[in-house]
Amino acid sequence: MRVTSKGQVTIPQNVRESMGILPAETEIEFLQDKNGRWYIVKAPSRTKKTSRFRSAHKTAKLTMSTDDIMALTRAG
């Protein structure tokens, strides 16, 4: 894995998925054991703040057609 000039690396998708790491929502920590090995761990979340867009996903009921919505946006 290559490290950028800014010290950044890409966490592989399968690792992110298995650890439950979500972009812009998950904090990680680097921990070192007594043998000097480094580990990445998912940090405990400070607050249970979920993006309003992520929480609204698939919860709305569509009662208006696209044409009705477009007419509302163009009204006035």
Side-chain angles (χ1 to χ4, degrees):
M1 192 173 300
R2 190 173 308 269
V3 179
T4 69
S5 61
K6 292 183 178 183
Q8 299 170 334
V9 295
T10 300
I11 302 171
Q13 182 177 357
N14 63 328
V15 175
R16 292 190 316 264
E17 288 173 352
S18 70
M19 293 180 71
I21 296 173
L22 300 172
E25 290 186 21
T26 306
E27 296 279 332
I28 61 169
E29 294 178 351
F30 295 91
L31 302 177
Q32 190 174 28
D33 69 12
K34 64 181 178 178
N35 297 317
R37 291 187 188 112
W38 284 93
Y39 295 90
I40 297 174
V41 295
K42 186 175 171 182
S45 58
R46 297 178 195 155
T47 61
K48 197 67 173 170
K49 185 177 180 183
T50 302
S51 164
R52 66 179 180 205
F53 299 107
R54 198 173 285 282
S55 62
H57 179 66
K58 294 186 178 182
T59 59
K61 303 268 188 284
L62 184 60
T63 58
M64 298 175 74
S65 71
T66 303
D67 291 332
D68 293 336
I69 295 169
M70 293 303 291
L72 283 175
T73 62
R74 294 184 179 136

